[in-house]
Amino acid sequence: MQTATKQQIKSLAERVSKYDVHIDASQLVLSQYNIPVLLKNDDYLLFNSHTRALTKLTASEYQLLNDISSLSPAQIKYYFANGFMVYKNANELEQLEMQFSRIRTDDSSLPLTLAPSLGCNLACGYCFQGVEKAQDKFDAKVSQAIIDHLDVQKNHLNSLSITWYGGEPLMAKPALLKLADRMIALCDMNKINYSSSIITNGYLLTVETALELYARRCTWAQITIDGPQEIHDQMRPKLNGHGSYQKIIENIQAVVTQTPMAISTRVNVGQNNIEHCEALLHELHQLGLAETGRFSLYFAPIDASTAESGDAFNQSLSKKVFNQKILEFTRLGQKLGLIRPKSAPNSFLGMCVAAKNNGLVIAANGDLHKCWETMHDPEKKIGTIFDYNKALESRNNQLWRQWSPFDNDTCRACKILPLCGGMCSHRFVYHGEGDQQSTPCPDWKWSTAENIFSRALNAGVVKKEDWLDSQATIDTKVSGERHNTTSLKKSQQILRTKLNTLGYKDGAIIHIQSAG
């Protein structure tokens, strides 16, 4: 092994020896979640997606892994402690499913996505909510119902995490700030950790507003910029048709230089702007945003994720084209200091509000949803905040609760399942509806080897010239097969069967009368 790895082995062996731990090498096998990446000089990077451990091995050391009996006790202890080896009788998939279930059913943490305004001041043609949006805003009745819900939950809560969403949430800023004050007071009185963030288009995020939000423990905002001014203004115009770029950029600059709030910039990439992403990176770099330490950027595909996705059906790129180009842009963004080094997630990427049993998306009119991508469609709500217990028993809620990535063969065989956890349950539950064809697999599925190499590069374990082009994930599928229409339809059939077994009427959705 390389020098750093030898030091790790020695240190670990010394710590383990204190406790006289005996590991029977004859009972060990390699973990099913080991992912090797061959380097140009025939060395290997070995990554375990369950433990997130990463090491570098020579060709001979990598070959020795297949003959565990030939390894030294110190090596065996190192590999075992880092999850590269497990006991033969350990069912890793079963253990992973139990871990997923524990997090999913944990009611000590509560994630809420709150949409104080369903209206928006922009008219983005690819928006999955459609251009025509309801104009509802939180009123006193809905806000009180949210506080009442939290009051019922408070005795078993350790943390409350709020994501402010819309529409454009800042179109209802007074209601947002007032509700935030009440939630913070309730949490502080009951020793519940409170945190929040906001998804905003940035047009109304002035320094004054950012300070008001930060004072209410909203520490970061996500803002979308889809290209240089001409491109962005075409893709994300105001309702009156005028551009939004200049004002949003001015706000971002002011917020990251005059407030403690951090800004995460999302770039939605499609047919219309993919060739302009490089120019955008250089433009943002010239503004000096990276130097503040509170600005970061990432790329996301424009997906037709709902029937109302409008221009997204025309703009969507193939996953292969998107990921090939984004790798280039990501490397440039990291070089310019705009994109942070890729790291493995601490938990399942798919453990979002929709996947958590107690997670809720609360619309401005009091409707309850599990996913923000259904919030514009009242037929997909699970109920209303005014009768939470009834919502729990609805079939729409059971669609989400009974879905599991462990029910389908593609996820079960995937080597990054411990990272992913299914990623996007919405893509499973509603795939195919209204020509919606987007698939759930995350960028880790399309760039597994590249992400592993990037992590090693940032750690100084490898050099850029060590990369071997033949290891490109798009071609090698190092983590296994990706989801497609056929696999998602099979998953949906399993979900329908589970619901029928539980006594719920067969069908895609149940219409529930709107709260408004």
Side-chain angles (χ1 to χ4, degrees):
M1 294 190 183
Q2 304 301 306
T3 302
T5 305
K6 289 179 180 178
Q7 291 173 346
Q8 290 174 336
I9 292 175
K10 182 179 179 181
S11 176
L12 182 65
E14 289 175 349
R15 293 198 303 271
V16 172
S17 64
K18 295 178 181 179
Y19 302 98
D20 193 27
V21 176
H22 174 69
I23 300 175
D24 186 352
S26 67
Q27 297 301 309
L28 297 180
V29 294
L30 293 179
S31 168
Q32 70 186 77
Y33 296 115
N34 287 345
I35 303 175
V37 178
L38 179 62
L39 301 175
K40 191 170 288 184
N41 60 0
D42 291 333
D43 286 349
Y44 281 85
L45 292 175
L46 185 63
F47 175 71
N48 184 275
S49 66
H50 200 171
T51 62
R52 277 59 162 176
L54 174 64
T55 191
K56 183 182 177 185
L57 308 175
T58 64
S60 59
E61 288 164 347
Y62 179 72
Q63 293 303 320
L64 279 176
L65 280 176
N66 293 310
D67 184 12
I68 297 176
S69 62
S70 67
L71 298 174
S72 71
Q75 288 174 315
I76 290 172
K77 289 177 180 178
Y78 173 77
Y79 288 130
F80 180 76
N82 283 278
F84 296 118
M85 292 179 182
V86 297
Y87 281 117
K88 291 178 181 179
N89 61 356
N91 188 324
E92 291 186 273
L93 184 63
E94 184 178 273
Q95 292 173 356
L96 190 63
E97 186 171 7
M98 291 174 62
Q99 178 186 348
F100 184 89
S101 179
R102 283 195 300 269
I103 298 174
R104 188 177 201 176
T105 58
D106 176 22
D107 63 0
S108 67
S109 63
L110 175 60
L112 294 181
T113 296
L114 304 181
S117 169
L118 294 180
C120 186
N121 52 342
L122 299 190
C124 309
Y126 59 77
C127 181
F128 63 79
Q129 296 178 351
V131 176
E132 297 295 329
K133 296 179 174 65
Q135 299 302 310
D136 302 85
K137 296 181 180 180
F138 273 167
D139 59 19
K141 182 180 178 183
V142 174
S143 295
Q144 183 60 51
I146 293 172
I147 294 298
D148 291 343
H149 177 71
L150 295 177
D151 195 56
V152 172
Q153 306 289 321
K154 66 185 180 185
N155 290 334
H156 54 72
L157 278 184
N158 293 327
S159 64
L160 172 64
S161 174
I162 302 295
T163 300
W164 298 104
Y165 191 66
E168 170 49 51
L170 292 178
M171 291 183 69
K173 187 175 79 168
L176 184 161
L177 297 179
K178 184 175 182 180
L179 180 57
D181 286 338
R182 296 186 67 187
M183 291 190 296
I184 290 171
L186 185 149
C187 287
D188 287 353
M189 290 174 64
N190 293 279
K191 298 181 180 180
I192 300 169
N193 181 59
Y194 176 93
S195 62
S196 69
S197 59
I198 186 168
I199 312 295
T200 170
N201 58 44
Y203 196 87
L204 301 174
L205 188 64
T206 62
V207 167
E208 178 185 1
T209 296
L211 290 172
E212 289 175 313
L213 290 169
Y214 195 85
R216 291 162 176 84
R217 305 176 197 175
C218 182
T219 56
W220 69 271
Q222 177 185 290
I223 298 174
T224 298
I225 298 289
D226 280 352
Q229 183 166 359
E230 181 180 358
I231 301 301
H232 173 94
D233 285 347
Q234 291 173 5
M235 296 179 64
R236 299 179 66 81
K238 295 168 61 179
L239 289 174
N240 61 11
H242 294 167
S244 62
Y245 179 86
Q246 193 58 46
K247 177 64 174 174
I248 294 172
I249 287 294
E250 290 174 359
N251 284 344
I252 290 175
Q253 285 183 288
V255 168
V256 296
T257 56
Q258 300 178 44
T259 82
M261 178 175 278
I263 300 291
S264 173
T265 297
R266 174 184 173 117
V267 182
N268 293 318
V269 181
Q271 298 277 3
N272 292 354
N273 68 340
I274 190 168
E275 298 303 329
H276 300 274
C277 290
E278 183 175 341
L280 174 64
L281 289 171
H282 286 296
E283 190 167 301
L284 295 177
H285 175 67
Q286 290 173 1
L287 293 175
L289 295 173
E291 299 170 7
T292 67
R294 287 188 292 278
F295 179 88
S296 62
L297 179 146
Y298 73 99
F299 297 99
I302 292 177
D303 274 335
S305 60
T306 69
E308 296 78 19
S309 294
D311 194 39
F313 289 101
N314 300 320
Q315 288 213 46
S316 293
L317 298 161
S318 72
K319 293 287 187 181
K320 183 171 184 177
V321 170
F322 171 81
N323 283 281
Q324 282 178 327
K325 295 294 291 186
I326 292 313
L327 278 172
E328 299 174 19
F329 300 144
T330 298
R331 292 188 186 108
L332 174 60
Q334 290 178 339
K335 181 179 179 180
L336 298 175
L338 298 169
I339 297 178
R340 293 171 183 166
K342 191 72 176 181
S343 61
N346 293 325
S347 185
F348 298 102
L349 286 168
M351 193 53 66
C352 65
V353 172
K356 282 271 289 182
N357 281 0
N358 65 346
L360 292 172
V361 177
I362 306 179
N365 64 352
D367 284 352
L368 294 181
H369 290 260
K370 291 297 294 180
C371 175
W372 63 30
E373 293 199 19
T374 70
M375 189 177 63
H376 63 288
D377 187 348
E379 289 194 343
K380 293 175 183 172
K381 68 182 181 180
I382 66 170
T384 79
I385 189 62
F386 307 110
D387 195 342
Y388 177 62
N389 289 330
K390 183 178 180 181
L392 290 178
E393 298 303 318
S394 72
R395 185 179 188 278
N396 281 357
N397 186 52
Q398 292 302 319
L399 278 171
W400 302 95
R401 181 165 289 197
Q402 296 302 322
W403 170 83
S404 169
F406 296 90
D407 285 342
N408 69 81
D409 293 338
T410 303
C411 284
R412 289 175 66 86
C414 180
K415 285 185 173 293
I416 65 161
L417 180 59
L419 296 175
C420 175
M423 184 58 187
C424 182
S425 48
H426 179 272
R427 302 299 197 266
F428 288 89
V429 173
Y430 287 112
H431 181 81
E433 180 179 300
D435 295 326
Q436 184 267 105
Q437 298 297 325
S438 46
T439 54
C441 296
D443 72 322
W444 267 90
K445 189 68 174 179
W446 293 86
S447 309
T448 312
E450 292 85 349
N451 287 343
I452 293 171
F453 183 83
S454 176
R455 184 179 172 190
L457 184 65
N458 293 324
V461 176
V462 296
K463 299 178 181 179
K464 290 181 180 179
E465 54 267 28
D466 292 332
W467 172 252
L468 190 62
D469 288 338
S470 63
Q471 294 295 287
T473 306
I474 288 177
D475 299 320
T476 61
K477 297 183 180 179
V478 295
S479 58
E481 292 296 324
R482 303 163 189 129
H483 273 293
N484 53 41
T485 296
T486 300
S487 66
L488 292 177
K489 284 183 178 178
K490 288 181 180 178
S491 180
Q492 287 179 327
Q493 183 57 53
I494 292 170
L495 179 57
R496 285 195 294 269
T497 300
K498 290 174 72 174
L499 290 175
N500 289 339
T501 301
L502 290 172
Y504 288 91
K505 182 180 178 182
D506 197 10
I509 52 178
I510 289 179
H511 178 77
I512 303 174
Q513 186 64 38
S514 176

